[in-house]
Amino acid sequence: MSDRAATPKTASERPPTRRRRSRYEGDVPREHYLNVAYGLKSWLFTIDHKRIAILYLLSITAFFALGGLMAVFIRLELLTPAGDLMTSEIYNRVFTLHGVLMVFFFLIPSIPAVFGNFFLPMMVGAKDMAFPRLNLASWYIYSLGGVFTLAAIVAGGVDTGWTFYTPYSSTYSNSAVALTAIGVFINGFSSIFTGLNFIVTIHKMRAPGMTWMRLPLFVWANYAAALIMILGTPVVAMAIFLVAVERLFGVGIFDPALGGDPILYQHLFWFYSHPAVYIMILPSMGVMSEVIACFSRKRIFGYGFIAASSLAIATVGFLVWGHHMFVSGQSIYASMVFSVLTMLVAVPSAVKVFNWLATLWRGSISFETPMLYAFGFLGLFTVGGLTGLYLGTLATDVHLHDTYFIVAHFHYIMVGGAVMGYLAAVHFWWPKMTGRMYSEWWGRLSAGLLFIGFNLTFFPQFLMGYMGMPRRYHFYPEEWQVLNVLSTAGASILGLGYLIPIIYLTYSLRYGPIAGPNPWRATGLEWTTASPPPQHNFEQTPVVTEEPYDYSKPIVNDLPAPGAGAEPKPSPAAPRS
Amino acid sequence: MNGSQLPPLLPPSASTISGELDLLFAYITAVSLFFTVAIAIGLGVLAFLYRRKAGDPIPKQIHGNTALELVWTGIPVLIVLSFFFWGTDLFFRMRTPPADPLEIFVVGKQWMWKIQHQEGPREINELHMPVGQPVKLTMTSEDVIHSFSVPAFRVKQDVLPGRYTTMWFEATKTGTYHLFCTEYCGTEHAGMMGRIIVMEPNEYQAWLGGGGGESLTAAGERLFSQLGCATCHGDQAGARGPALAGLYGTDVQLGTGGAVTADEAYLRESITEPAAKVVAGYDVIMPTFLGQVSEEGILQLIAYIRSLGTTTEPSEPAATTVEEADSE
């Protein structure tokens, strides 16, 4: 760190733009986690949480690309009412693969495995996760699950839908169900390990002074998600394992012809898979709290309420699974209870949105790329959340269940919410992870394209759904073609919006301006160390003396010179010797 | 995008509940639109008013406001509870068939709907029904889970293998409407479409008459003797199996203690899995008929057993009498 440029920055300096790139030259530390060792082995055997996060980033991007390619095929096929691009066998495999890859191999790991892994230890002021080897193991397990799933594609694909409903999956499907099921089963353990690591790290590894009420909300959100990971994932792993057992050995569990109960599977599956939605969205909400506070230069409004609402969502979220089964034949009284609980789980989400809006009030708002993604999140998540109310309401759910209305709703939550949050996180923390700034212009452009493309793709699907168009249909009556054409047109814009960031982010690795330790002048311990961070995150163990999101003081994009006194600097007043 | 050239954006509304369901949908939409627009405008106004300007001072830091939190927690709770109460009330009515429905039987299989009318006619992927009369479907599947969905009626019910589910609806307009399978069921899932044909009652009667074939009860009776059921389930005292006359709808005392109502589900179970719930005083000697008689056959047997019911139960569905009248 001794070779850092010593030029002091003034307090009023703004986040960087291209014009000012020269400001950051020389701010790269001599040694950091990326250049501490080179070679494949230094990555494959790393136990550095930051490097493991990068491994996850590369893997989930690959799975996202493959899942996205499947979406391209789906939208192209649905351009015309007839099934003319591929056979039904292929189409069913394509949408199944889209769902399996996106849910199990992208959305569930996305923010926790990449940004949680990278930043959660830094945010609590730790050198690493509590169990670094378990952390690396989780990536290998994830990869092994991925290998099984890819092997299933080579073995002919799987056509059950990502939900693996029995007895179709256990008895009737002529596809590689068992391989895929084993892949998903194995993958579940990576999620459990990550969750376990998060919880132990948050409990045991916090820096001196980092009390629970000083934790960044991103940490709270990941804590809540980790609870779901370790309590819910075993159940779905078990359910999917039982499908494989019934399929391979003919043990009657779910197929009534063998004395089983097909509805039992749905209970087990949704017991996890509904809370899994909160694994996807809670970390994304955590990103929102970080980004919105930073770019409005304001302490987050209602910190305690946002933190509590994450826990409320994680808790009540375990009690609403039956809302996926209102027309399955479950008791109408059970449905009634699930309906009212579903209504109540919507409220903490609304509370978060109101608190974020209140944070903007009297702020000093700027519109860099992460903030644009945050605005996109607010709009799309609001629509996604509100349309969930139609589905929690019993009578309307009967009409909308298993139609494109559902498809639109969960894409607004999972893509509009979780993926927008993921991209906000990518753009917010990219300078910290790589030490480089990306092109702000291209960043804003792709955020705009994604917002427009997303709405054009999925809003027409609400209308199709109300018309009654069932999901997972390879061909459909002609009266729905106009809406499907709109949706496909939107998907092409959406696809472009995903491609552009891959290009300019990769470009920035080599040619981007040097970011400096804190380009956004954000609070939080991760911004008090160099970019990219040193191998052990901090030169000295930070000591926290302040509340989170304390934007009441000027914050500079610089580190204090070694041995200097407490310069204007965010939270940690590191002890000086 | 709602030009006159384009197809309509609302499905036809053709059942007694579809109008109210649309109204509930409109109510939720109005509330959702209000909040979406309010949040969007709020976001826009805040972003504009407090955009960063040169020389901005550091904003005053605000921690929160508990009263405000309670307000914006409480109001959404009240609103969602209003959805819940209306939705549940309507749902319960959608799930509770009125007295005297016309009963029709549905068997789903990959990838077709097989419909049986009491009076005899059978059809595939088409359901003819009269307007202005409640229709109750008793449904089962031969293989995987299907779902019987009629968007114009705003109804849907999963159809399960190994058990019966029921649904009901009453059409308010004649016409032809879409029937879909909405639970993914394999390769030709999208091809499991059909038509609901709603007719004037007299046309429906004429259609039934032209259908030919024996009634469900008669088919059941033929199957009953073919399978040799009468050997044990005769009327004489001391038979090896319990007598079936007057059985339907009554409470049966079980050998294991407790009682069970002899409804469709119990009768089906007793045919396919006889040892599950044995009537008190009888031995477990009946072999299973699972695989020896089709789902449609089981429905016919049940229809026959129901027809044996004397009117001991005043609350017994009148469909039995309808069917008796028609089978004469």
Side-chain angles (χ1 to χ4, degrees), chain A residues 92 159 261 297 299 302 327 336 355 364-365 390 395 398-399 401-402 466-467 472-473 479 547 551, chain B residues 9 11 21-22 25 29 50 52 56 58 61 63 69 84 156-158 163 178 181-184 189:
Chain A
N92 296 340
D159 72 343
D261 181 350
R297 316 304 306 166
R299 188 188 201 277
V327 301
M336 182 176 81
N355 277 296
S364 170
I365 303 167
Y390 294 85
V398 171
H399 177 52
H401 183 82
D402 269 334
Y466 199 70
M467 295 287 291
R472 296 172 170 173
Y473 260 33
E479 64 252 37
E547 294 190 322
Y551 283 99
Chain B
L9 287 177
L21 196 141
D22 285 348
F25 188 91
T29 305
Y50 302 111
R52 191 171 303 164
D56 261 5
I58 288 172
Q61 301 297 306
H63 280 217
E69 301 281 354
F84 166 74
K156 180 180 291 133
Q157 173 64 49
D158 284 4
R163 75 175 75 164
H178 283 302
C181 174
T182 48
E183 185 62 67
Y184 174 69
H189 170 55

Side-chain angles (χ1 to χ4, degrees), chain B residues 147-159:
Chain B
S147 192
F148 195 97
S149 162
V150 187
F153 297 166
R154 312 286 190 271
V155 293
K156 180 180 291 133
Q157 173 64 49
D158 284 4
V159 178

